[in-house]
Amino acid sequence: LYTVRQFTQTAQEFAASMKKIRQMGYRAVQISAIGPIPAVKVKAILDGEGLVVCNTHTAPDRLWGDLPSVIAEHHLWGCRHVAIGSMPKTYRDEGQEGYWRFAREASELGRTLSEAGLTFSYHNHSFEFERFGAKTGLDILYEASDPRYLQAEIDTYWVQYGGADPAAWVRKVAGRMPVVHLKDMVIVNGAPTMAEIGEGNLNWPAILQACREAGVQWYAVEQDICQRDPFESLAISYRNLHAMGLR
């Protein structure tokens, strides 16, 4: 839902947007960047459209400061998968040590979520591909964390942007990634730009095959920046993924 964040800030906008998304064919959504809508209202609207919540991107201050509320919210929505959208800057400012510290603390938080029947995943951008000797920050994060308690949510666009291979990274975290983030990349005026799935240059046959082999349960379509109406972008991505055999 980050793709249509400007259309989900009130309950009325949220309801209208969920109707459009369900009509496209989507059966699940990731709750991300919506307005201050009561969780029970969110559930009622989603239930009314026949949509489920596959996962969320939850703010760090809520994860570390209000975890019981986060757990209750996910139980209400019937959503098992909690994710953090990015490593907070306080960790990033510490360089390599910050990745080690985040890995430890995220594993502990993930343990608590696991005891509540939930999973905890990390969503990458491109900054995690900074190298520290022979390893990137993302290598350190997944090697230093407990795979039982910190899962991966690979974002295909940002892996490519960081100079790595999305399919290879999906395979690297096989068995610990319930949700993948699908974004395509196209070049506009010499610059990498987000595009609808199948409209850019990423190797989708290889990526989707890697996802199947890795045991991915949910394929989340997200486009931070759209060159057209974001609902049209989501519809194009859905049609193209359907044509690629994803159901």
Side-chain angles (χ1 to χ4, degrees):
L1 296 184
Y2 190 76
T3 309
V4 293
R5 57 196 177 278
Q6 65 267 49
F7 303 102
T8 59
Q9 295 308 299
T10 68
Q12 185 176 8
E13 290 175 340
F14 186 81
S17 296
M18 295 312 98
K19 184 175 292 294
K20 289 180 181 180
I21 285 170
R22 184 65 186 94
Q23 288 172 346
M24 292 174 198
Y26 289 102
R27 298 186 296 275
V29 296
Q30 173 189 288
I31 297 294
S32 180
I34 68 173
I37 307 166
V40 291
K41 183 67 173 176
V42 169
K43 176 175 172 53
I45 292 170
L46 293 173
D47 286 351
E49 296 299 337
L51 288 165
V52 300
V53 182
C54 63
N55 74 318
T56 69
H57 273 192
T58 302
D61 60 338
R62 293 196 64 208
L63 290 169
W64 271 273
D66 191 20
L67 195 56
S69 173
V70 171
I71 291 170
E73 190 173 75
H74 283 72
H75 286 167
L76 171 67
W77 290 338
C79 174
R80 290 195 59 238
H81 304 303
V82 185
I84 185 170
S86 185
M87 184 184 299
K89 190 174 184 296
T90 52
Y91 298 92
R92 294 166 59 182
D93 289 344
E94 297 175 12
Q96 182 174 348
E97 288 305 313
Y99 284 91
W100 284 95
R101 183 165 73 90
F102 181 83
R104 292 192 301 270
E105 295 180 10
S107 294
E108 284 304 308
L109 191 146
R111 181 195 295 269
T112 302
L113 288 170
S114 177
E115 291 168 353
L118 307 175
T119 73
F120 185 44
S121 299
Y122 180 78
H123 169 270
N124 68 275
H125 288 80
S126 60
F127 68 82
E128 299 92 345
F129 290 92
E130 179 180 354
R131 296 187 71 84
F132 300 95
K135 297 183 184 296
T136 67
L138 203 60
D139 288 318
I140 295 170
L141 177 61
Y142 288 127
E143 289 174 12
S145 58
D146 190 325
R148 294 172 299 174
Y149 303 127
L150 185 64
Q151 309 285 298
E153 187 181 62
I154 293 298
D155 185 298
T156 57
Y157 175 94
W158 289 118
V159 171
Q160 187 77 38
Y161 193 98
D165 178 352
W169 259 99
V170 168
R171 289 192 171 91
K172 189 177 290 192
V173 295
R176 66 186 290 191
M177 185 167 69
V179 184
V180 66
H181 259 210
L182 304 184
K183 290 188 180 80
D184 211 338
M185 178 187 286
V186 69
I187 302 300
V188 178
N189 297 323
T193 304
M194 293 180 183
E196 295 77 16
I197 309 301
E199 302 297 310
N201 300 323
L202 268 61
N203 185 348
W204 290 107
I207 292 170
L208 296 178
Q209 181 58 34
C211 287
R212 285 188 281 269
E213 294 171 5
V216 170
Q217 301 167 25
W218 296 100
Y219 298 76
V221 174
E222 182 178 86
Q223 192 172 336
D224 305 22
I225 300 170
C226 302
Q227 306 305 310
R228 49 171 60 87
D229 177 270
F231 291 101
E232 184 181 356
S233 290
L234 286 177
I236 291 170
S237 290
Y238 181 88
R239 290 196 298 269
N240 287 348
L241 283 167
H242 199 268
M244 294 176 196
L246 195 61
R247 299 290 188 269

